[in-house]
Amino acid sequence: MATTQDTDYLVIGAGASGLAFADELFTRTGDDVHITLVDRRDAPGGHWNDAYPFVRLHQPATFYGVESRELAHDAIEADGPNAGCLTLSEGPEIVAYFHAVLREQLLPSGRVTFVPSCDVEHAEGGSTTLRHLLSGQRETVRVRRTVDDASWHTNAIPRTHTRKYSVAPGIACVPPNDLPLLALRHRRYAVLGGGKTAIDACLWLLDNGAPADAITWVIPRDSWFFNRAKVQAAMPFFDTLFTSIAEQREAMAAARSVDDLALRLEACGAWLRLDAAVAPRICHYATVAEGELALLRSIRNVVRQGRVRAIEPGCLRMDQGEVPIATDQTLFIDATASALTKRPTRPVFEGDRITLQMIRIPQPTFSAACIAFVEATMPELGDDQRNRFAAPIPMPDAVVDFPLGQLIDGMNRFHAARHPGLHAWMLTSRLDGYSPLVAAVDPADAGRVALLARVREATKAAMANLPRLAGVAG
């Protein structure tokens, strides 16, 4: 068994979170600190390397990626269903971006090593065992500081996930990756899944000329969506953004139940749903534009009978019965993979281990960079103190999970605002998105100063009511 050079930080996973963490560590530590990135894939970028070709980032690209390098500027889309909103970076652009972060910034320093096509088998007591997937060779790495797990919440990839339903021989059922290649061979389409991947598949079909009545959309559970127009973190959208934040927190303060909160958030335009007659039961923080939703509503053949259990000749077998469908003419698009695995949370800082999790929702790269900042700049603090800034937020599923996520998010912000160094970093952090806008407000701008005061008052009231909505009131 060979032994590599020692390293200070061993980061498991070179996806968006792992790179954001490594990038901030690299920026905040000295020349004598070494970082090793290990990934099962052969390249950085995580799930983006396996994404379908028409994927786009669902939120503005201005606050995604790593802290030290912009992904996109404040360009506003002029046409299409996302018109009037900040540009949404496409998959190939994001993959190229993460490759550039590693190849052009981190590796040339000599302080960062990337180990591709490799699995971490064992990490304990400062010694970690790696297994190279192509050769099977094992080696050990001596870690001087921490092993940093960026794979705790892994992505279920549409191209590689295991389906939870059977498909009879001869029926065409493919991941979204194959849709552009095979769409021309069919005249009818069935999109399976109700999340953002399914939305992307439906929009691709409509954008490429498929008639809405040729599409069957199988939605196991309806979801609340975030209105993209309300999360535009750029100065031209300041008033709309912070008015929406104030309205959402006022809704959290006034809501009598989670269902009441959902309706209040819909009433102020922050949340959207596909069908006004159907009450969504899940909230995964998927973000859509109102123009996209208008297109989706043109699809009239929507099946809501639970999950698909089997695709058989002439029918879909569902939780709640059978649905006739011309399987010999239809291309089935499997968009049922979950975005992130739902695992129990654990403390972020635990001695010689750091487990990257969401501490600002839904901002995985900001969360990772913030954890790295705390690790690099607060060596005098113990784990309990540092974990006050970084309480992990459980991955949401049902709507009832939403208040707890907001409560923990708010508490993390509260503690961070009371630490001068961390607060100052957030005010300048590109990945924060919101705090730099607040810092840029002219004190003489009475309108915006008053708007921010409204946000602060609404936040206090919301934080008083969220424990009751989340079911954690003592």
Side-chain angles (χ1 to χ4, degrees):
M1 180 183 292
T3 301
T4 70
Q5 62 178 329
D6 294 355
T7 191
D8 293 288
Y9 294 97
L10 180 73
V11 183
I12 305 171
S17 293
L19 286 170
F21 178 83
D23 172 79
E24 189 64 19
L25 273 183
F26 177 81
T27 300
R28 300 291 167 181
T29 55
D31 291 343
D32 59 338
V33 173
H34 187 269
I35 302 164
T36 298
L37 285 156
V38 179
D39 202 288
R40 290 180 58 84
R41 293 180 175 84
D42 65 345
H47 74 279
W48 290 104
N49 290 288
D50 300 309
Y52 42 96
F54 50 89
V55 69
R56 295 209 298 176
L57 195 63
H58 305 154
Q59 296 183 1
T62 51
F63 54 95
Y64 185 77
V66 306
E67 179 67 37
S68 68
R69 187 181 185 117
E70 282 190 338
L71 172 56
H73 300 291
D74 292 350
I76 297 174
E77 296 195 22
D79 52 25
N82 195 50
C85 292
L86 294 169
T87 184
L88 300 175
S89 292
E90 298 181 350
E93 176 189 359
I94 297 170
V95 170
Y97 167 85
F98 283 128
H99 282 227
V101 167
L102 182 67
R103 304 296 178 189
E104 297 175 12
Q105 293 179 215
L106 300 180
L107 293 184
S109 70
R111 293 175 50 205
V112 177
T113 298
F114 177 53
V115 185
S117 304
C118 192
D119 209 357
V120 175
E121 284 195 337
H122 177 74
E124 185 177 345
S127 180
T128 299
T129 303
L130 308 182
R131 181 173 64 88
H132 293 269
L133 299 178
L134 296 184
S135 67
Q137 180 182 358
R138 288 171 171 80
E139 60 179 340
T140 59
V141 178
R142 289 190 296 267
V143 183
R144 288 187 288 263
R145 298 194 183 182
T146 60
V147 173
D148 313 295
D149 190 355
S151 65
W152 186 252
H153 291 298
T154 57
N155 296 80
I157 309 300
R159 186 165 73 177
T160 61
H161 86 118
T162 301
R163 296 172 183 159
K164 295 181 180 179
Y165 56 89
S166 61
V167 180
I171 295 175
C173 183
V174 300
N177 305 64
D178 296 338
L179 177 56
L181 178 66
L182 299 178
L184 291 177
R185 303 182 190 178
H186 298 81
R187 289 294 177 264
R188 301 199 64 82
Y189 312 92
V191 178
L192 312 181
K196 198 62 178 69
T197 301
I199 287 174
D200 288 347
C202 290
L203 291 174
W204 186 91
L205 287 166
L206 294 169
D207 188 52
N208 283 274
D213 61 5
I215 303 170
T216 298
W217 191 0
V218 181
I219 301 178
R221 299 182 296 169
D222 275 71
S223 176
W224 285 109
F225 305 119
F226 282 67
N227 186 346
R228 190 175 295 132
K230 304 294 186 178
V231 294
Q232 299 297 293
M235 196 56 75
F237 304 94
F238 185 98
D239 293 342
T240 298
L241 173 65
F242 284 96
T243 297
S244 180
I245 292 173
E247 291 174 342
Q248 291 177 58
R249 293 181 183 171
E250 288 163 354
M252 294 175 199
R256 298 179 300 275
S257 67
V258 175
D259 288 341
D260 180 41
L261 173 59
L263 295 177
R264 289 173 183 269
L265 292 172
E266 181 183 36
C268 71
W271 282 17
L272 303 169
R273 55 175 150 175
L274 183 65
D275 189 332
V278 178
R281 306 315 306 171
I282 63 173
C283 175
H284 290 174
Y285 285 84
T287 305
V288 300
E290 292 183 85
E292 293 173 335
L293 204 58
L295 289 172
L296 294 169
R297 286 170 176 158
S298 70
I299 301 174
R300 301 297 183 184
N301 190 14
V302 179
V303 176
R304 292 183 173 92
Q305 294 195 30
R307 288 185 169 87
V308 176
R309 295 305 178 188
I311 306 177
E312 299 178 353
C315 79
L316 293 173
R317 293 195 182 276
M318 312 286 296
D319 283 338
Q320 300 169 17
E322 294 185 7
V323 178
I325 191 167
T327 50
D328 58 333
Q329 305 171 22
T330 302
L331 176 64
F332 293 86
I333 301 100
D334 176 25
T336 61
S338 299
L340 291 172
T341 55
K342 191 173 177 65
R343 299 180 68 182
T345 60
R346 60 182 299 165
V348 169
F349 295 98
E350 294 180 285
D352 59 2
R353 177 190 179 97
I354 295 175
T355 305
L356 300 185
Q357 295 158 89
M358 206 90 73
I359 63 171
R360 172 80 63 82
I361 195 163
Q363 293 178 265
T365 56
F366 170 84
S367 298
C370 184
I371 292 168
F373 180 87
V374 172
E375 161 65 17
T377 65
M378 304 180 193
E380 76 284 359
L381 298 184
D383 287 349
D384 289 344
Q385 292 172 292
R386 295 196 289 179
N387 281 326
R388 286 171 65 84
F389 307 124
I393 301 172
M395 295 308 301
D397 182 39
V399 180
V400 295
D401 298 330
F402 179 76
L404 179 59
Q406 293 298 301
L407 177 63
I408 299 174
D409 186 293
M411 292 304 298
N412 287 339
R413 293 173 188 261
F414 174 84
H415 291 300
R418 278 147 185 79
H419 187 281
L422 184 53
H423 181 59
W425 176 77
M426 288 182 175
L427 289 177
T428 61
S429 171
R430 182 185 74 81
L431 296 179
D432 183 292
Y434 302 97
S435 296
L437 298 179
V438 174
V441 170
D442 185 344
D445 188 335
R448 288 185 172 175
V449 169
L451 177 55
L452 293 178
R454 178 186 172 190
V455 170
R456 287 192 293 273
E457 289 304 310
T459 299
K460 292 177 184 177
M463 291 300 290
N465 193 39
L466 280 170
R468 184 181 62 82
L469 294 176
V472 298

